[in-house]
Amino acid sequence: DRRGGSEGGGGGEGEGGKTLEFADVKKYGVAGTVAYVITELAFWILAFPAAAYALYNTTGHWPDLSDNADRAAVLGFIFAGANVARLAVPLRLGAALALAPWVDENLISKEREE
Protein backbone atom coordinates (compact mmCIF):
# COMPACT_ATOMS: atom_id res chain seq x y z
CA ASP A 1 0.00 0.00 0.00
CA ARG A 2 1.55 3.30 -1.08
CA ARG A 3 -0.14 5.18 1.73
CA GLY A 4 1.32 3.14 4.56
CA GLY A 5 3.94 4.65 6.81
CA SER A 6 7.48 3.42 6.97
CA GLU A 7 9.54 2.43 9.93
CA GLY A 8 11.96 5.00 11.24
CA GLY A 9 12.02 8.31 12.99
CA GLY A 10 11.04 11.81 12.16
CA GLY A 11 7.29 11.74 11.74
CA GLY A 12 4.02 11.28 13.52
CA GLU A 13 2.43 8.02 14.44
CA GLY A 14 0.37 6.51 11.68
CA GLU A 15 -1.65 3.30 11.53
CA GLY A 16 -0.13 0.38 13.38
CA GLY A 17 2.45 2.56 15.15
CA LYS A 18 4.32 3.32 11.92
CA THR A 19 5.74 6.79 11.49
CA LEU A 20 4.89 9.11 8.64
CA GLU A 21 7.89 10.59 6.85
CA PHE A 22 8.81 12.24 3.57
CA ALA A 23 9.77 8.87 2.05
CA ASP A 24 6.06 7.99 2.14
CA VAL A 25 5.27 11.08 0.09
CA LYS A 26 8.10 10.34 -2.35
CA LYS A 27 6.51 6.95 -3.10
CA TYR A 28 3.97 8.91 -5.15
CA GLY A 29 6.80 10.20 -7.35
CA VAL A 30 6.40 13.59 -8.99
CA ALA A 31 2.78 13.86 -7.82
CA GLY A 32 3.82 13.33 -4.20
CA THR A 33 6.58 15.91 -4.42
CA VAL A 34 4.28 18.46 -6.10
CA ALA A 35 1.60 17.78 -3.48
CA TYR A 36 4.13 18.36 -0.70
CA VAL A 37 5.30 21.61 -2.33
CA ILE A 38 1.67 22.76 -2.53
CA THR A 39 1.09 22.01 1.16
CA GLU A 40 4.31 23.80 2.13
CA LEU A 41 3.43 26.84 0.01
CA ALA A 42 -0.01 26.97 1.61
CA PHE A 43 1.61 26.80 5.05
CA TRP A 44 4.06 29.63 4.35
CA ILE A 45 1.46 31.77 2.57
CA LEU A 46 -0.50 31.68 5.81
CA ALA A 47 2.57 32.36 7.99
CA PHE A 48 2.95 36.07 7.21
CA PRO A 49 -0.70 37.05 7.79
CA ALA A 50 -0.70 35.01 11.00
CA ALA A 51 2.46 36.76 12.18
CA ALA A 52 1.03 40.18 11.26
CA TYR A 53 -2.17 39.37 13.18
CA ALA A 54 -0.14 38.19 16.18
CA LEU A 55 1.74 41.50 16.13
CA TYR A 56 -1.56 43.36 15.93
CA ASN A 57 -2.93 41.46 18.93
CA THR A 58 0.26 42.08 20.89
CA THR A 59 0.87 45.76 20.11
CA GLY A 60 -2.51 47.03 18.94
CA HIS A 61 -1.25 48.13 15.52
CA TRP A 62 -0.67 46.45 12.20
CA PRO A 63 2.98 46.02 11.21
CA ASP A 64 4.62 48.86 9.35
CA LEU A 65 7.20 47.09 7.21
CA SER A 66 9.12 50.33 6.71
CA ASP A 67 9.80 50.27 10.47
CA ASN A 68 12.72 48.00 11.37
CA ALA A 69 11.24 47.14 14.78
CA ASP A 70 7.95 45.98 13.24
CA ARG A 71 9.79 44.07 10.53
CA ALA A 72 11.92 42.32 13.15
CA ALA A 73 8.85 41.54 15.25
CA VAL A 74 7.01 39.96 12.30
CA LEU A 75 10.09 37.90 11.42
CA GLY A 76 10.34 36.89 15.08
CA PHE A 77 6.73 35.71 15.08
CA ILE A 78 7.35 33.77 11.85
CA PHE A 79 10.49 32.19 13.34
CA ALA A 80 8.63 31.19 16.49
CA GLY A 81 5.73 29.89 14.45
CA ALA A 82 8.06 27.86 12.25
CA ASN A 83 9.54 26.20 15.31
CA VAL A 84 6.09 25.38 16.68
CA ALA A 85 5.07 24.22 13.20
CA ARG A 86 7.59 21.40 13.40
CA LEU A 87 4.94 19.71 15.50
CA ALA A 88 2.62 19.90 12.48
CA VAL A 89 5.02 18.17 10.05
CA PRO A 90 3.07 14.89 10.26
CA LEU A 91 -0.11 16.82 9.46
CA ARG A 92 1.55 18.47 6.45
CA LEU A 93 2.89 15.10 5.27
CA GLY A 94 -0.57 13.60 5.70
CA ALA A 95 -2.08 16.46 3.71
CA ALA A 96 0.47 15.85 0.95
CA LEU A 97 -0.38 12.13 0.93
CA ALA A 98 -4.08 12.94 0.69
CA LEU A 99 -3.46 15.49 -2.07
CA ALA A 100 -1.07 13.34 -4.15
CA PRO A 101 -3.74 11.32 -6.01
CA TRP A 102 -5.57 14.51 -6.96
CA VAL A 103 -2.33 16.14 -8.13
CA ASP A 104 -1.49 13.05 -10.17
CA GLU A 105 -4.93 12.94 -11.80
CA ASN A 106 -5.47 16.66 -12.36
CA LEU A 107 -1.98 18.10 -12.86
CA ILE A 108 0.61 15.46 -13.68
CA SER A 109 -1.53 13.21 -15.92
CA LYS A 110 -2.93 16.16 -17.85
CA GLU A 111 0.60 17.48 -18.40
CA ARG A 112 1.65 14.09 -19.79
CA GLU A 113 -1.34 14.06 -22.18
CA GLU A 114 -0.35 17.39 -23.76
Side-chain angles (χ1 to χ4, degrees):
D1 181 13
R2 297 171 89 179
R3 291 180 221 167
S6 59
E7 296 293 328
E13 291 293 323
E15 291 182 26
K18 294 180 181 178
T19 59
L20 186 62
E21 50 192 34
F22 189 69
D24 299 316
V25 176
K26 287 187 352 184
K27 289 178 187 176
Y28 280 93
V30 173
T33 303
V34 170
Y36 184 73
V37 168
I38 290 170
T39 59
E40 286 296 306
L41 284 173
F43 174 80
W44 287 107
I45 286 169
L46 295 174
F48 180 80
Y53 187 71
L55 179 70
Y56 175 76
N57 279 333
T58 304
T59 63
H61 72 275
W62 291 102
D64 175 9
L65 296 180
S66 65
D67 178 20
N68 286 336
D70 281 1
R71 209 175 9 215
V74 168
L75 290 175
F77 279 115
I78 290 173
F79 177 76
N83 284 313
V84 171
R86 290 181 190 186
L87 300 173
V89 166
L91 178 65
R92 295 186 339 234
L93 288 171
L97 284 173
L99 190 59
W102 182 89
V103 168
D104 188 43
E105 181 180 325
N106 294 292
L107 301 178
I108 305 302
S109 294
K110 290 187 180 191
E111 182 66 29
R112 286 183 194 137
E113 290 173 6
E114 292 178 3

